[in-house]
Amino acid sequence: MDKIAVFPGSFDPFTVGHESIVKRALPLFDRVIIAVGENAEKKNLFTIEARMNMIAKVFEGDSRVVVTRYSGLTVEFCRSHGARYILRGLRTAADFEYERAMGHMNWKMAPEIDTVFLLTSTEHTPINSTIVRDIIKNGGDASMFVPAVISISDYLGK
Ligand code: ADP
């Protein structure tokens, strides 16, 4: 049976921190599904299509990475895709507290699905989509925080 991991998130926008987590997870799994959340309550800078397109560009040519949108419970999404693992990145103690609560609750709802955490590499620890969005909104250069193939201006307002 294929080992499939779901990497759920807002990815608004997808950063080099996210990219590094996916790349480091690839030797551990047969397939990684990057699941872009459609959370109507969140005020996103990039549309769901823009976020999916920018991520697809990063992993173009690697058939083990699949990019898809999702809404609803992450564990239900995993079940419907035959995924037994949820992949998450951990930067700080604050991340840990939030992820621990979510991981435990997901585990209660779906004991057959494990959450796998990868510690962020040291150089990516400060990178945070919220701050990257602020830089973009204020006309700053965010290119060093997103994968090199992503040209942010191509995705704004799309
Ligand atoms: P969410 O709204 O689900 O928190 P994010 O897009 O902010 O969505 O994050 C998705 C996942 O990526 C989370 O597990 C988060 O901890 C992780 N992540 C965010 N930024 C980084 C980074 N710089 N390095 C590694 N992992 C990160």
Side-chain angles (χ1 to χ4, degrees):
M1 197 167 78
D2 272 0
K3 267 197 248 164
I4 304 171
V6 167
F7 185 35
S10 315
F11 309 117
D12 187 39
F14 194 78
T15 67
V16 285
H18 297 130
E19 178 187 28
S20 148
I21 294 289
V22 174
K23 286 191 166 161
R24 287 168 55 209
L26 279 172
L28 306 175
F29 301 102
D30 297 305
R31 194 154 22 117
V32 174
I33 302 176
I34 304 178
V36 187
E38 299 184 75
N39 185 344
E41 281 166 27
K42 274 204 176 177
K43 267 218 145 297
N44 293 306
L45 179 60
F46 295 94
T47 62
I48 185 106
E49 287 78 17
R51 286 178 278 148
M52 287 174 58
N53 288 341
M54 67 173 83
I55 301 169
K57 187 142 202 239
V58 176
F59 297 102
E60 217 167 49
D62 192 338
S63 57
R64 290 172 310 153
V65 180
V66 175
V67 185
T68 182
R69 64 207 286 163
Y70 91 111
S71 56
L73 290 178
T74 306
V75 289
E76 291 306 337
F77 178 83
C78 290
R79 281 175 173 154
S80 66
H81 287 76
R84 299 275 305 276
Y85 305 93
I86 295 172
L87 174 67
R88 298 287 287 180
L90 278 183
R91 287 165 295 187
T92 60
D95 271 358
F96 175 75
E97 280 308 319
Y98 175 71
E99 295 292 342
R100 184 176 58 82
M102 202 152 64
H104 277 152
M105 291 177 80
N106 281 333
W107 193 51
K108 278 280 183 198
M109 289 187 287
E112 78 281 16
I113 298 170
D114 259 317
T115 305
V116 174
F117 299 101
L118 290 183
L119 275 187
T120 308
S121 53
T122 45
E123 72 271 27
H124 295 139
T125 299
I127 300 175
N128 170 316
S129 291
T130 308
I131 301 175
V132 174
R133 275 200 301 281
D134 275 343
I135 294 171
I136 297 166
K137 282 186 208 158
N138 289 294
D141 177 9
S143 59
M144 71 190 102
F145 304 120
V146 299
V149 295
I150 298 179
S151 164
I152 280 293
S153 55
D154 292 351
Y155 299 94
L156 279 168
K158 302 258 165 80

